[in-house]
Amino acid sequence: MTTTDLQNLAIAAIDKAEKELFQLSQEIWKHPELEFEEKRAHDVLTTFLQKHGFDVERNFIHSTGFRAVYGSGGVNICVVCEFDSLPEIGHGSGRNLVSECSIAVALALKAAIEHNMKLNIPFGKVTVIGSPAEESGGGKIDMISAGVFDNVDIALRAQPHHHNIARPVMLDMLQMKVTYNGKPTHGALPWEGRNALDAAVLCYNNLAALRQQIKPTMQINCIITKGGIKPSMIPEETEMQIYLREIGRASCRERV
């Protein structure tokens, strides 16, 4: 069988499961779950994979993580599912589509493996990793630390976008928590205190102004997560979360 024949076989496997894949994506889309709380998505995805003949390990590394394998020996091709959502806006990053694409690829590879098995041709295996807490929480980092990807030859993951990019630019991210401490006092006597909120606001505004001078490959995301207790009090402590993204962690640290 030629490479083109295998490609057609893979495409046919995806086309056959088109409605199921759409329903899978919609189920995750309609029931968004935050990091490490993706119980419904975990159950939906693992049930689907088991139904299609994969050996499934549920609650893998994390309670909402999983690993599913089809085939054995040879090259190990891994596809990664992500399924957590963002607060308030749900699946703004399209993690439901990430899972749908990864499952589709897994079915395509399974079809190729099955075909070669019939011809006694060794082909390897496909591993599906369910990686929770992608938006925040570092679920994939825990899996890397646990050696989950050590025996993987190729790892694949899709990210929805408005056009196709074969080799996307990948940005490193440095997360920072910044705390300002002042001196609290009643709002009627502001001169007796030191306003920690003023410090946070000035920091935010300076970061916003800095964006004009940064390269197009760099991004700064910032929010004030703690701004005080009551308007009638001068805030004693404020807190900010800052994400700094750029090509290469060394460049990120240089910017700091």
Side-chain angles (χ1 to χ4, degrees):
M1 177 173 273
T2 66
T3 301
T4 301
D5 291 333
L6 280 175
Q7 288 176 341
N8 291 334
L9 188 70
I11 292 169
I14 295 173
D15 289 343
K16 183 180 179 181
E18 179 182 357
K19 290 183 179 179
E20 283 185 283
L21 290 168
F22 177 75
Q23 291 170 357
L24 191 73
S25 175
Q26 286 296 296
E27 181 71 15
I28 297 173
W29 168 264
K30 292 176 181 178
H31 302 93
E33 299 165 300
L34 299 179
E35 65 271 10
F36 297 125
E37 298 176 5
E38 316 96 326
K39 295 179 181 178
R40 190 184 190 108
H42 168 276
D43 292 346
V44 167
L45 290 166
T46 53
T47 299
F48 181 95
L49 287 163
Q50 189 170 42
K51 173 187 172 183
H52 284 269
F54 286 77
D55 293 326
V56 177
E57 295 177 74
R58 292 175 169 85
N59 313 124
F60 180 68
I61 307 299
H62 289 288
S63 62
T64 53
F66 66 84
R67 179 166 64 184
V69 179
Y70 186 86
S72 61
V75 176
N76 183 8
I77 301 176
C78 174
V79 290
V80 180
C81 290
E82 297 165 0
F83 32 81
D84 61 323
S85 66
L86 290 162
E88 298 184 6
I89 65 171
H91 284 287
S93 295
R95 303 286 171 205
N96 60 305
L97 298 176
V98 173
S99 285
E100 181 184 4
C101 289
S102 293
I103 297 295
V105 171
L107 293 179
L109 290 169
K110 175 177 176 281
I113 292 171
E114 285 177 328
H115 176 82
N116 282 359
M117 280 180 175
K118 294 175 183 177
L119 301 177
N120 293 319
I121 300 173
F123 191 84
K125 65 181 179 181
V126 53
T127 300
V128 184
I129 295 295
S131 177
E134 176 65 20
E135 293 291 350
S136 61
K140 195 179 282 87
I141 295 172
D142 294 335
M143 290 189 166
I144 292 170
S145 299
V148 172
F149 295 93
D150 287 356
N151 296 318
V152 168
D153 296 291
I154 302 169
L156 303 172
R157 171 192 168 280
Q159 176 66 39
H161 202 48
H162 52 78
H163 58 268
N164 293 328
I165 305 175
R167 295 184 178 180
V169 175
M170 306 301 291
L171 301 180
D172 282 77
M173 184 174 76
L174 187 63
Q175 301 184 43
M176 294 175 284
K177 182 172 76 172
V178 178
T179 302
Y180 289 100
N181 294 299
K183 180 182 177 183
T185 185
H186 193 279
L189 301 169
W191 53 86
E192 297 289 342
R194 291 193 301 273
N195 197 321
L197 180 58
D198 285 346
V201 170
L202 287 170
C203 177
Y204 181 92
N205 287 335
N206 281 321
L207 287 173
L210 180 63
R211 289 191 180 103
Q212 184 181 7
Q213 265 64 52
I214 64 176
K215 296 179 180 178
T217 55
M218 187 178 180
Q219 299 174 6
I220 302 175
N221 309 117
C222 177
I223 59 171
I224 297 174
T225 54
K226 183 178 180 182
I229 301 172
K230 294 189 70 173
S232 58
M233 297 171 59
I234 300 300
E236 178 182 16
E237 182 181 87
T238 54
E239 186 177 286
M240 306 173 69
Q241 286 189 9
I242 302 170
Y243 290 174
L244 185 62
R245 308 173 199 259
E246 193 168 12
I247 300 174
R249 181 163 288 271
S251 297
C252 284
R253 293 194 178 278
E254 285 177 10
R255 296 294 177 183
V256 175

